[in-house]
Amino acid sequence: MRLCTKNPNSSFRSHEIIPEEGQCKALRVVHNYTDHANDDLYQDFLTPTLEITSASRRGDAKRVTMSFPPKLHQMLSQTEDDGLTSTVRWQPHGRCFIVCDQTQFTEQIMPTYFRQTKFSSFQRQLNLYGFNRITSGTDKGAYYHELFLRGKDALAYRIQRLKIKGTGVRKAGSPETEPCFYSMPSLSRCHAHKEEQPQDSHFTV
């Protein structure tokens, strides 16, 4: 199988998979996906994305809350350490994650990390922060964001909550526009240098 290729600017904007004999019909994927794996992480630490609570705005508290994407990244690292990859995990390439057991995830993991009890609430947060769902292929059912990469937790602080509200109509999947992650360099916690979160005594999860 011939997989998509990388352009000189590290942006994967045009991908093509040409199956070998006996495989499915050729699938051409075109997507505006940029590889941020080599971004300057030091600069990311200087400008973390935080959500200020209403209490903080009123001056009743001096704490700010870590936004959803860094929490999600933290959760995936911790569940991996705890041996819970049968419930939720990164895909092998480290560019998207998948919830394998929705019941276990909703009952055991969500209340701990997100203080939520409905999977639909978790999906709503993903949508609000611009995550997309893979609808076909090996990664079917997984979610991705170009700034959400395994071993690159600092990038997650750059993910902004979308300001434009949805129409309430669920968009149809478009497999032909989804990125081809298996053609890109794989990411892991092992090869990435250890990243420290910004030091601030006012961070809470």
Side-chain angles (χ1 to χ4, degrees):
M1 175 181 290
R2 190 173 77 212
L3 295 176
C4 45
T5 57
K6 179 180 179 181
N7 72 23
N9 298 321
S10 297
S11 296
F12 298 81
R13 300 183 186 280
S14 181
H15 314 296
E16 183 176 11
I17 301 177
I18 301 178
E20 297 174 352
E21 184 178 355
Q23 293 183 327
C24 61
K25 185 180 179 180
L27 173 66
R28 181 171 182 79
V29 181
V30 179
H31 194 275
N32 188 21
Y33 180 93
T34 301
D35 183 8
H36 291 275
N38 296 317
D39 282 12
D40 185 356
L41 300 180
Y42 177 75
Q43 182 62 35
D44 294 332
F45 286 134
L46 300 180
T47 55
T49 300
L50 302 172
E51 291 179 346
I52 303 176
T53 62
S54 58
S56 298
R57 295 191 185 97
R58 295 194 305 268
D60 297 335
K62 296 182 179 181
R63 292 179 180 273
V64 291
T65 304
M66 184 186 295
S67 62
F68 175 78
K71 282 185 184 180
L72 179 60
H73 204 288
Q74 183 183 73
M75 178 272 291
L76 286 166
S77 296
Q78 189 60 52
T79 51
E80 183 176 11
D81 292 341
D82 294 342
L84 298 175
T85 54
S86 61
T87 301
V88 60
R89 66 168 184 266
W90 289 101
Q91 288 294 76
H93 44 67
R95 294 176 181 274
C96 67
F97 75 94
I98 188 168
V99 176
C100 309
D101 189 325
Q102 185 173 320
T103 300
Q104 291 294 321
F105 181 76
T106 303
E107 295 179 353
Q108 297 184 8
I109 296 177
M110 280 180 52
T112 300
Y113 292 92
F114 308 108
R115 300 179 183 178
Q116 297 172 337
T117 57
K118 294 182 179 180
F119 191 70
S120 59
S121 298
F122 176 73
Q123 290 177 306
R124 189 176 302 111
Q125 287 296 309
L126 291 172
N127 293 332
L128 286 173
Y129 282 93
F131 283 78
N132 291 307
R133 185 173 182 270
I134 300 294
T135 61
S136 66
T138 305
D139 292 330
K140 183 177 181 180
Y143 291 89
Y144 77 92
H145 189 291
E146 64 181 28
L147 291 172
F148 196 77
L149 305 174
R150 189 174 187 231
K152 306 289 182 180
D153 53 305
L155 289 176
Y157 286 92
R158 288 170 49 185
I159 301 177
Q160 300 287 331
R161 181 167 175 154
L162 301 179
K163 297 179 179 180
I164 301 176
K165 296 183 179 180
T167 60
V169 178
R170 184 175 182 177
K171 297 181 180 179
S174 54
E176 70 280 0
T177 67
E178 293 168 357
C180 174
F181 292 130
Y182 290 93
S183 71
M184 306 178 194
S186 296
L187 303 171
S188 68
R189 294 173 67 187
C190 297
H191 83 272
H193 66 276
K194 184 176 179 58
E195 300 170 2
E196 298 179 356
Q197 291 189 5
Q199 298 298 314
D200 193 319
S201 59
H202 299 316
F203 275 24
T204 60
V205 178

